[in-house]
Amino acid sequence: MSEKRVKYIFVTGGVVSALGKGIASASIGLLLKKRGLNVNIIKCDPYINVDPGTMNPFQHGEVYVLDDGSETDLDLGHYERFLGRNMTRDNNVTNGQVYHTVINRERRGDYLGATVQVIPHITEEIKQNIRRPAKAEDEPDVVIVEIGGTVGDIEGQTFLESIRQMALEHEPEDTLFVHLTLVPYIETAGEMKTKPTQHSVKALREIGIQPRILLCRATKPLDESIRKKIGLFCNVPSSHVITAVDCETIYEVPLLFHEKKLDEYICKHLHLETPEPDLADWEEMVERIKQPTHKVKIAICGKYVNLKDAYKSIIESFIHAGEENDARVELIWVASEDIKKNGAEKLLAGIDGLLIPGGFGERGVEGKIESIRYVRENKIPFLGICLGMQCAVIEYARSVCGLEDAHSYEFYADLKNPVIHLMADQEGVTNLGGTMRLGAYKADIVKDSKSYEAYGEEHISERHRHRYEFNNAYRELFDNTTFKLVGLSPDGRLVEAIEVTDHPWFVGVQYHPELKSRPTKAHPLFRDYIAAAVEYNLKKSAPPKEDNHTVGVK
Ligand code: GLN
């Protein structure tokens, strides 16, 4: 039996970063999947960190955790959301991992006698990593390889050189280079400029890569003459110069690409015979996102509110949940430190829900706790994620149970009442990379709870990324209160979810539900949370009921 020939699509980016290569790659993946192909996708990150787990979210954005516990680039979130398939550690390759493996091998003596060099040793290791998903049991037809960074970056050279070699090692119809670039509109000249794209493609061609398709990010569609010019200078047929115009929602991008025949060109080049993609459900979903009936305001109170990428999956989860509730979710970003300065009453006035996301470090924690008190007392829907749940425990212990000095061991070691403390197996951990409780863990949900109503089942599995836990020494403190432990690990030792019952919707979870929400299937907790926010909003804005007893009384 001849081995199946996997097709590779390499996606590179030029001119500037943040053009949306991840979304472009995921969109290509979706279109091919909808054509009946089995698609897998890899992100190559040129940095020297082994994974983004130790990076500041300000620099890197969210760390996206997979079921298998690997801490990966946020683009893997887009891949999971668009392709509806769970990624594994094989889907994210970093220069750090590659060098780590090669250097360990060298120390073991595996290269004995050889001088270990970028070419061939590093590039061989990269190629092996890129080929790994292709060899997976489910035998993908197509593997999309997104190269992080911008063409011309020194650190990205190893990956570009590796994919150049791969093109040489495969049949011409088995590899395809797609390049995403920017075509800026210069206001004062009233013109779109092609030069940055020309330069970027020139840089690629200098290292032996000829892109076959150009995706040009622009604020408005490129006209025929511009596409011809770009095609001519970049050695690409002008029909393959495709405008990637700004969209209202990222979920529209695959529809736009399909309209421009991108998937058709790809299949033709790769000799893939497939039916047209059936995009009906995707189109309906996009329509619902764009034209909702209701509107709710949700405040996100966190530390990194100036960098939205730090909360990427949460933002997406709200889009999914809004779509299922026929609602537009307007996010109000509140820096938790400002709550302490200006007061929750003032900063949270008019909201229909509060979300406290995950986080690390003491900065802004008192503001988070204060904002939780505000929504708990005012019966405004609340969802606390990870640190958000821990803050909800602290708030209730302080305000209702009278433990004024309740706090988390994460912030102070000499606490009298550490209601959140270190997990036993985390004590003594000094290495910070990959040492948290990471990845998918099972939990049991108590019937007769908002969480059970949402999930519709008792046994769930969710992804984690934390070091601290609810302190079991305080379980009794909450007995006979409205604070309930509604989710526990199967052995009953770890608290995974809490709820406050004298409240319309108050849920805190130790895990990260945002990592499992999908555009065609919102996460049940986000879905019900937004349903509660819509209800709260409608009640709030309903005209007061007429008082029959006073009407007409003289
Ligand atoms: N800092 C907390 C912990 O380590 C919460 C982590 C998080 O919110 N992801 O337990």
Side-chain angles (χ1 to χ4, degrees):
M1 208 177 75
S2 71
E3 207 179 297
K4 183 165 161 184
R5 273 166 55 183
V6 179
K7 309 283 182 176
Y8 289 97
I9 301 173
F10 302 109
V11 181
T12 53
V15 185
V16 292
S17 59
L19 287 180
K21 244 182 304 134
I23 290 161
S25 306
S27 298
I28 292 172
L30 175 82
L31 291 173
L32 298 181
K33 181 188 161 188
K34 294 283 189 188
R35 282 178 172 262
L37 296 165
N38 183 8
V39 184
N40 208 338
I41 182 161
I42 308 180
K43 173 80 191 280
C44 296
D45 278 309
Y47 46 72
I48 304 293
N49 300 61
V50 170
D51 63 41
T54 54
M55 278 189 228
N56 186 333
F58 269 129
Q59 295 212 3
H60 189 266
E62 162 185 89
V63 174
Y64 192 81
V65 178
L66 307 180
D67 274 349
D68 66 12
S70 39
E71 299 176 278
T72 69
D73 185 77
L74 59 76
D75 277 327
L76 273 82
H78 293 310
Y79 302 167
E80 288 200 343
R81 289 187 281 268
F82 277 68
L83 287 183
R85 83 178 270 164
N86 283 348
M87 299 283 121
T88 71
R89 62 182 72 252
D90 289 347
N91 294 88
N92 197 185
V93 183
T94 67
N95 248 335
Q97 281 164 24
V98 169
Y99 275 87
H100 194 249
T101 311
V102 170
I103 291 170
N104 280 341
R105 220 177 263 152
E106 187 274 334
R107 291 290 83 187
R108 277 202 314 265
D110 293 4
Y111 301 112
L112 223 48
T115 307
V116 182
Q117 292 176 301
V118 170
I119 304 172
H121 301 97
I122 294 293
T123 50
E124 279 308 318
E125 177 61 21
I126 290 176
K127 287 189 287 179
Q128 248 186 49
N129 277 292
I130 290 179
R131 289 197 173 108
R132 192 166 295 131
K135 294 191 183 122
E137 253 170 53
D138 72 333
E139 298 189 351
D141 301 300
V142 179
V143 174
I144 299 169
V145 183
E146 180 194 341
I147 308 295
T150 309
V151 167
D153 294 348
I154 290 176
E155 58 177 13
Q157 298 288 351
T158 48
F159 285 106
L160 293 176
E161 168 58 18
S162 303
I163 61 176
R164 181 197 69 78
Q165 292 177 17
M166 280 187 75
L168 210 65
E169 291 158 7
H170 290 255
E171 296 300 324
E173 67 271 24
D174 289 350
T175 61
L176 169 68
F177 291 96
V178 177
H179 188 56
L180 179 69
T181 107
L182 176 72
V183 179
Y185 178 74
I186 305 297
E187 197 77 49
T188 45
E191 261 186 297
M192 295 185 104
K193 290 295 183 188
T194 65
K195 196 71 85 189
T197 298
Q198 293 179 39
H199 276 298
S200 165
V201 173
K202 189 166 164 250
L204 269 178
R205 290 169 71 195
E206 271 167 9
I207 52 176
I209 292 174
Q210 170 64 59
R212 295 294 302 172
I213 295 177
L214 296 180
L215 301 174
C216 302
R217 278 300 297 274
T219 46
K220 56 180 194 165
L222 306 185
D223 64 30
E224 182 66 21
S225 65
I226 298 264
R227 288 180 31 233
K228 272 202 176 130
K229 185 173 172 189
I230 293 177
L232 191 64
F233 281 94
C234 298
N235 197 29
V236 172
S238 63
S239 58
H240 291 194
V241 179
I242 292 175
T243 321
V245 77
D246 299 346
C247 291
E248 212 178 305
T249 152
I250 55 168
Y251 299 108
E252 217 177 337
V253 174
L255 302 177
L256 183 99
F257 282 170
H258 177 62
E259 205 185 291
K260 307 269 182 209
K261 298 191 168 35
L262 174 61
D263 46 321
E264 190 186 308
Y265 297 143
I266 291 176
C267 288
K268 203 163 154 204
H269 177 91
L270 295 175
H271 296 197
L272 288 164
E273 275 177 36
T274 72
E276 280 288 301
D278 178 5
L279 295 166
D281 63 336
W282 202 269
E283 278 163 355
E284 282 164 25
M285 179 261 294
V286 168
E287 269 324 294
R288 283 195 300 270
I289 291 177
K290 286 164 79 173
Q291 305 203 330
T293 311
H294 308 290
K295 188 172 160 188
V296 288
K297 281 189 187 169
I298 302 291
I300 299 188
C301 182
K303 196 159 106 178
Y304 305 109
V305 290
N306 292 324
L307 183 81
K308 309 288 182 286
D309 269 2
Y311 303 111
K312 193 88 214 162
S313 294
I314 289 179
I315 297 172
E316 295 307 317
S317 302
F318 277 128
I319 293 173
H320 312 154
E323 185 254 307
E324 285 191 26
N325 283 289
D326 194 13
R328 184 180 306 282
V329 179
E330 186 192 332
L331 299 179
I332 318 264
W333 298 89
V334 184
S336 38
E337 285 164 303
D338 292 348
I339 296 271
K340 232 20 228 165
K341 275 185 245 151
N342 302 325
E345 275 77 4
K346 190 163 159 221
L347 291 182
L348 302 180
I351 63 166
D352 304 304
L354 170 72
L355 179 132
I356 305 282
F360 296 83
E362 204 249 341
R363 183 158 68 80
V365 162
E366 290 303 327
K368 291 176 191 172
I369 295 170
E370 177 58 15
S371 62
I372 295 172
R373 183 198 57 77
Y374 175 79
V375 295
R376 187 179 53 73
E377 290 178 357
N378 289 287
K379 314 270 184 231
I380 300 170
F382 170 76
L383 178 58
I385 294 178
C386 209
L387 179 63
M389 179 198 104
Q390 297 174 355
C391 287
V393 174
I394 297 168
E395 191 280 319
Y396 199 95
R398 285 186 189 176
S399 311
V400 184
C401 306
L403 289 191
E404 275 168 30
D405 52 359
H407 220 316
S408 165
Y409 185 74
E410 176 175 3
F411 314 125
Y412 304 100
D414 56 348
L415 288 174
K416 218 169 102 211
N417 285 302
V419 287
I420 304 297
H421 74 156
L422 206 55
M423 298 187 288
D425 44 2
Q426 290 286 350
E427 281 180 51
V429 168
T430 49
N431 216 346
L432 288 188
T435 54
M436 284 183 273
R437 182 170 179 236
L438 287 165
Y441 286 90
K442 292 197 171 106
D444 294 338
I445 299 292
V446 171
K447 283 192 172 174
D448 187 25
S449 66
K450 291 283 191 297
S451 301
Y452 181 78
E453 259 173 46
Y455 284 106
E457 52 192 329
E458 279 171 87
H459 308 295
I460 60 156
S461 169
E462 292 281 3
R463 296 181 188 172
H464 295 247
R465 182 173 188 252
H466 62 116
R467 196 165 271 125
Y468 299 87
E469 292 283 354
F470 178 95
N471 185 346
N472 288 331
Y474 290 88
R475 281 200 189 186
E476 273 177 20
L477 178 75
F478 296 98
D479 281 352
N480 306 317
T481 70
T482 56
F483 191 95
K484 306 285 176 210
L485 311 179
V486 299
L488 296 177
S489 56
D491 62 6
R493 280 180 56 229
L494 303 175
V495 174
E496 301 282 30
I498 60 97
E499 292 183 11
V500 170
T501 51
D502 57 344
H503 190 284
W505 212 91
F506 190 109
V507 178
V509 288
Q510 188 56 77
Y511 47 80
H512 290 270
E514 74 275 21
L515 302 177
K516 288 182 74 173
S517 188
R518 305 282 179 260
T520 43
K521 197 171 188 329
H523 189 284
L525 287 180
F526 272 89
R527 185 198 61 214
D528 282 16
Y529 171 51
I530 292 303
V534 170
E535 206 180 306
Y536 177 85
N537 176 277
L538 291 177
K539 252 194 215 151
K540 189 173 72 178
S541 34
K545 287 212 182 85
E546 260 182 23
D547 183 344
N548 290 332
H549 298 291
T550 52
V551 172
V553 174
K554 287 197 182 133

Short mmCIF file of all heavy atoms in Angstrom, two decimals, residues 424-462:
data_model
loop_
_atom_site.label_atom_id
_atom_site.label_comp_id
_atom_site.label_asym_id
_atom_site.label_seq_id
_atom_site.Cartn_x
_atom_site.Cartn_y
_atom_site.Cartn_z
N ALA A 424 -0.95 20.55 48.01
CA ALA A 424 0.10 19.80 48.72
C ALA A 424 1.26 19.45 47.79
O ALA A 424 2.43 19.64 48.13
CB ALA A 424 -0.49 18.54 49.32
N ASP A 425 0.94 18.97 46.58
CA ASP A 425 2.02 18.55 45.69
C ASP A 425 2.73 19.72 45.02
O ASP A 425 3.65 19.53 44.24
CB ASP A 425 1.51 17.55 44.65
CG ASP A 425 0.20 17.96 44.04
OD1 ASP A 425 -0.29 19.06 44.41
OD2 ASP A 425 -0.33 17.21 43.22
N GLN A 426 2.31 20.95 45.32
CA GLN A 426 3.00 22.11 44.74
C GLN A 426 4.02 22.69 45.70
O GLN A 426 4.80 23.55 45.31
CB GLN A 426 1.97 23.20 44.39
CG GLN A 426 1.07 22.85 43.24
CD GLN A 426 1.80 22.94 41.90
OE1 GLN A 426 2.92 23.43 41.82
NE2 GLN A 426 1.19 22.42 40.87
N GLU A 427 3.96 22.25 46.93
CA GLU A 427 4.90 22.83 47.90
C GLU A 427 6.33 22.46 47.51
O GLU A 427 6.60 21.35 47.11
CB GLU A 427 4.57 22.32 49.31
CG GLU A 427 3.39 23.10 49.87
CD GLU A 427 2.99 22.68 51.26
OE1 GLU A 427 3.88 22.63 52.10
OE2 GLU A 427 1.78 22.41 51.46
N GLY A 428 7.19 23.45 47.62
CA GLY A 428 8.58 23.18 47.29
C GLY A 428 8.90 23.29 45.80
O GLY A 428 10.04 23.11 45.40
N VAL A 429 7.89 23.64 44.98
CA VAL A 429 8.19 23.80 43.56
C VAL A 429 8.93 25.12 43.34
O VAL A 429 8.44 26.17 43.74
CB VAL A 429 6.88 23.80 42.72
CG1 VAL A 429 7.15 24.26 41.30
CG2 VAL A 429 6.25 22.43 42.72
N THR A 430 10.11 25.05 42.75
CA THR A 430 10.84 26.30 42.53
C THR A 430 10.97 26.60 41.05
O THR A 430 11.18 27.72 40.64
CB THR A 430 12.27 26.21 43.13
OG1 THR A 430 12.84 24.99 42.67
CG2 THR A 430 12.25 26.26 44.64
N ASN A 431 10.80 25.57 40.22
CA ASN A 431 10.89 25.73 38.79
C ASN A 431 9.56 26.26 38.29
O ASN A 431 8.53 25.66 38.56
CB ASN A 431 11.13 24.34 38.19
CG ASN A 431 12.04 24.41 37.01
OD1 ASN A 431 12.28 25.49 36.48
ND2 ASN A 431 12.53 23.25 36.58
N LEU A 432 9.56 27.38 37.56
CA LEU A 432 8.26 27.97 37.23
C LEU A 432 7.66 27.51 35.90
O LEU A 432 6.48 27.68 35.66
CB LEU A 432 8.35 29.50 37.26
CG LEU A 432 8.48 30.11 38.65
CD1 LEU A 432 8.35 31.62 38.59
CD2 LEU A 432 7.44 29.56 39.63
N GLY A 433 8.47 26.93 35.04
CA GLY A 433 7.95 26.52 33.72
C GLY A 433 7.20 25.21 33.81
O GLY A 433 7.77 24.20 34.20
N GLY A 434 5.92 25.22 33.42
CA GLY A 434 5.14 23.98 33.31
C GLY A 434 4.93 23.24 34.61
O GLY A 434 4.76 22.02 34.61
N THR A 435 4.94 23.93 35.75
CA THR A 435 4.83 23.20 37.02
C THR A 435 3.49 23.41 37.72
O THR A 435 3.32 23.04 38.86
CB THR A 435 5.95 23.62 37.99
OG1 THR A 435 5.92 25.04 38.12
CG2 THR A 435 7.30 23.17 37.51
N MET A 436 2.53 24.02 37.05
CA MET A 436 1.23 24.21 37.68
C MET A 436 0.36 22.99 37.47
O MET A 436 0.76 22.02 36.84
CB MET A 436 0.56 25.44 37.07
CG MET A 436 1.14 26.73 37.59
SD MET A 436 0.30 28.15 36.93
CE MET A 436 1.19 28.39 35.43
N ARG A 437 -0.85 23.06 38.01
CA ARG A 437 -1.83 22.01 37.68
C ARG A 437 -2.37 22.40 36.31
O ARG A 437 -3.08 23.39 36.17
CB ARG A 437 -2.94 22.01 38.73
CG ARG A 437 -3.99 20.93 38.52
CD ARG A 437 -4.88 20.86 39.74
NE ARG A 437 -5.92 19.87 39.61
CZ ARG A 437 -7.22 20.15 39.74
NH1 ARG A 437 -7.63 21.38 40.00
NH2 ARG A 437 -8.12 19.19 39.62
N LEU A 438 -1.99 21.61 35.31
CA LEU A 438 -2.23 22.01 33.93
C LEU A 438 -3.03 20.97 33.17
O LEU A 438 -2.80 19.77 33.32
CB LEU A 438 -0.89 22.19 33.21
CG LEU A 438 -0.06 23.43 33.59
CD1 LEU A 438 1.37 23.28 33.09
CD2 LEU A 438 -0.68 24.68 32.99
N GLY A 439 -3.95 21.43 32.35
CA GLY A 439 -4.63 20.53 31.43
C GLY A 439 -5.97 20.03 31.94
O GLY A 439 -6.52 20.53 32.92
N ALA A 440 -6.49 19.01 31.25
CA ALA A 440 -7.85 18.54 31.53
C ALA A 440 -7.92 17.67 32.78
O ALA A 440 -7.09 16.78 32.97
CB ALA A 440 -8.37 17.75 30.33
N TYR A 441 -8.86 17.98 33.64
CA TYR A 441 -9.15 17.15 34.82
C TYR A 441 -10.66 16.97 34.90
O TYR A 441 -11.42 17.87 34.55
CB TYR A 441 -8.66 17.84 36.10
CG TYR A 441 -7.16 17.79 36.27
CD1 TYR A 441 -6.36 18.80 35.76
CD2 TYR A 441 -6.55 16.72 36.92
CE1 TYR A 441 -4.98 18.76 35.91
CE2 TYR A 441 -5.17 16.68 37.07
CZ TYR A 441 -4.39 17.69 36.56
OH TYR A 441 -3.03 17.65 36.71
N LYS A 442 -11.04 15.80 35.42
CA LYS A 442 -12.47 15.53 35.57
C LYS A 442 -13.00 16.18 36.84
O LYS A 442 -12.26 16.37 37.81
CB LYS A 442 -12.70 14.03 35.65
CG LYS A 442 -12.39 13.33 34.35
CD LYS A 442 -13.01 11.94 34.32
CE LYS A 442 -12.88 11.36 32.95
NZ LYS A 442 -11.86 10.30 32.88
N ALA A 443 -14.28 16.49 36.83
CA ALA A 443 -14.93 17.01 38.04
C ALA A 443 -16.36 16.49 38.09
O ALA A 443 -16.94 16.14 37.04
CB ALA A 443 -14.93 18.53 38.04
N ASP A 444 -16.91 16.42 39.29
CA ASP A 444 -18.30 16.01 39.46
C ASP A 444 -19.12 17.21 39.90
O ASP A 444 -18.72 17.93 40.83
CB ASP A 444 -18.41 14.90 40.52
CG ASP A 444 -17.73 13.63 40.04
OD1 ASP A 444 -17.57 13.49 38.81
OD2 ASP A 444 -17.34 12.80 40.89
N ILE A 445 -20.24 17.40 39.26
CA ILE A 445 -21.08 18.56 39.54
C ILE A 445 -22.31 18.11 40.34
O ILE A 445 -22.95 17.10 40.01
CB ILE A 445 -21.53 19.22 38.21
CG1 ILE A 445 -20.31 19.70 37.41
CG2 ILE A 445 -22.52 20.36 38.45
CD1 ILE A 445 -19.55 20.85 38.01
N VAL A 446 -22.59 18.86 41.37
CA VAL A 446 -23.73 18.56 42.23
C VAL A 446 -25.03 18.89 41.49
O VAL A 446 -25.14 19.95 40.87
CB VAL A 446 -23.64 19.46 43.49
CG1 VAL A 446 -24.89 19.37 44.34
CG2 VAL A 446 -22.40 19.10 44.29
N LYS A 447 -26.00 17.95 41.57
CA LYS A 447 -27.30 18.25 40.97
C LYS A 447 -27.92 19.39 41.76
O LYS A 447 -27.46 19.73 42.85
CB LYS A 447 -28.20 17.02 41.03
CG LYS A 447 -27.82 16.00 39.96
CD LYS A 447 -28.89 14.94 39.85
CE LYS A 447 -28.59 14.07 38.64
NZ LYS A 447 -29.48 12.94 38.54
N ASP A 448 -28.95 19.99 41.25
CA ASP A 448 -29.57 21.10 41.94
C ASP A 448 -28.59 22.28 42.08
O ASP A 448 -28.32 22.77 43.18
CB ASP A 448 -30.06 20.65 43.34
CG ASP A 448 -30.88 21.77 44.01
OD1 ASP A 448 -31.44 22.59 43.26
OD2 ASP A 448 -30.91 21.81 45.25
N SER A 449 -27.98 22.63 40.97
CA SER A 449 -27.09 23.79 40.96
C SER A 449 -27.19 24.45 39.59
O SER A 449 -27.65 23.82 38.63
CB SER A 449 -25.63 23.35 41.21
OG SER A 449 -25.18 22.56 40.14
N LYS A 450 -26.76 25.70 39.52
CA LYS A 450 -26.77 26.41 38.23
C LYS A 450 -25.80 25.72 37.27
O LYS A 450 -26.04 25.64 36.07
CB LYS A 450 -26.33 27.87 38.45
CG LYS A 450 -27.34 28.70 39.22
CD LYS A 450 -28.48 29.11 38.32
CE LYS A 450 -29.39 30.15 38.91
NZ LYS A 450 -30.12 29.77 40.12
N SER A 451 -24.70 25.22 37.82
CA SER A 451 -23.72 24.56 36.96
C SER A 451 -24.32 23.31 36.34
O SER A 451 -24.14 23.05 35.14
CB SER A 451 -22.47 24.19 37.77
OG SER A 451 -21.92 25.34 38.33
N TYR A 452 -25.04 22.53 37.15
CA TYR A 452 -25.66 21.31 36.61
C TYR A 452 -26.71 21.67 35.55
O TYR A 452 -26.78 21.04 34.49
CB TYR A 452 -26.29 20.48 37.73
CG TYR A 452 -26.92 19.21 37.20
CD1 TYR A 452 -26.13 18.10 36.88
CD2 TYR A 452 -28.29 19.13 36.98
CE1 TYR A 452 -26.69 16.96 36.36
CE2 TYR A 452 -28.86 17.98 36.46
CZ TYR A 452 -28.06 16.89 36.15
OH TYR A 452 -28.61 15.76 35.63
N GLU A 453 -27.48 22.73 35.84
CA GLU A 453 -28.46 23.19 34.85
C GLU A 453 -27.77 23.50 33.52
O GLU A 453 -28.28 23.20 32.45
CB GLU A 453 -29.10 24.50 35.32
CG GLU A 453 -30.48 24.36 35.94
CD GLU A 453 -30.93 25.70 36.52
OE1 GLU A 453 -30.80 26.74 35.84
OE2 GLU A 453 -31.40 25.68 37.68
N ALA A 454 -26.59 24.12 33.61
CA ALA A 454 -25.86 24.50 32.40
C ALA A 454 -25.32 23.28 31.67
O ALA A 454 -25.60 23.06 30.50
CB ALA A 454 -24.73 25.46 32.75
N TYR A 455 -24.57 22.45 32.39
CA TYR A 455 -23.90 21.30 31.75
C TYR A 455 -24.89 20.21 31.36
O TYR A 455 -24.69 19.49 30.39
CB TYR A 455 -22.87 20.69 32.69
CG TYR A 455 -21.59 21.46 32.83
CD1 TYR A 455 -21.30 22.19 33.97
CD2 TYR A 455 -20.64 21.43 31.81
CE1 TYR A 455 -20.11 22.89 34.10
CE2 TYR A 455 -19.44 22.12 31.94
CZ TYR A 455 -19.18 22.85 33.09
OH TYR A 455 -18.00 23.53 33.20
N GLY A 456 -25.95 20.06 32.18
CA GLY A 456 -26.89 18.97 31.92
C GLY A 456 -26.28 17.62 32.22
O GLY A 456 -26.78 16.58 31.80
N GLU A 457 -25.15 17.59 32.91
CA GLU A 457 -24.56 16.31 33.31
C GLU A 457 -23.73 16.46 34.58
O GLU A 457 -23.29 17.57 34.91
CB GLU A 457 -23.73 15.69 32.18
CG GLU A 457 -22.69 16.63 31.61
CD GLU A 457 -22.10 16.07 30.31
OE1 GLU A 457 -22.00 14.85 30.17
OE2 GLU A 457 -21.72 16.89 29.46
N GLU A 458 -23.51 15.33 35.23
CA GLU A 458 -22.79 15.37 36.50
C GLU A 458 -21.27 15.29 36.32
O GLU A 458 -20.52 15.78 37.14
CB GLU A 458 -23.21 14.19 37.38
CG GLU A 458 -24.51 14.38 38.11
CD GLU A 458 -24.94 13.08 38.75
OE1 GLU A 458 -24.50 12.83 39.88
OE2 GLU A 458 -25.67 12.31 38.08
N HIS A 459 -20.85 14.60 35.27
CA HIS A 459 -19.40 14.38 35.10
C HIS A 459 -18.88 15.23 33.96
O HIS A 459 -19.31 15.09 32.82
CB HIS A 459 -19.12 12.90 34.84
CG HIS A 459 -19.75 12.02 35.87
ND1 HIS A 459 -19.35 12.05 37.19
CD2 HIS A 459 -20.76 11.13 35.78
CE1 HIS A 459 -20.10 11.20 37.88
NE2 HIS A 459 -20.97 10.63 37.05
N ILE A 460 -17.94 16.10 34.30
CA ILE A 460 -17.41 17.00 33.28
C ILE A 460 -15.88 16.90 33.26
O ILE A 460 -15.27 16.31 34.15
CB ILE A 460 -17.82 18.46 33.55
CG1 ILE A 460 -17.28 18.92 34.92
CG2 ILE A 460 -19.33 18.62 33.50
CD1 ILE A 460 -17.12 20.41 35.05
N SER A 461 -15.30 17.49 32.23
CA SER A 461 -13.83 17.59 32.17
C SER A 461 -13.51 19.00 31.70
O SER A 461 -14.08 19.47 30.72
CB SER A 461 -13.29 16.55 31.20
OG SER A 461 -11.92 16.80 30.94
N GLU A 462 -12.61 19.67 32.42
CA GLU A 462 -12.28 21.04 32.04
C GLU A 462 -10.78 21.26 32.19
O GLU A 462 -10.09 20.50 32.88
CB GLU A 462 -13.04 22.05 32.94
CG GLU A 462 -14.54 22.07 32.73
CD GLU A 462 -14.99 22.86 31.49
OE1 GLU A 462 -14.12 23.36 30.74
OE2 GLU A 462 -16.20 22.97 31.27
#
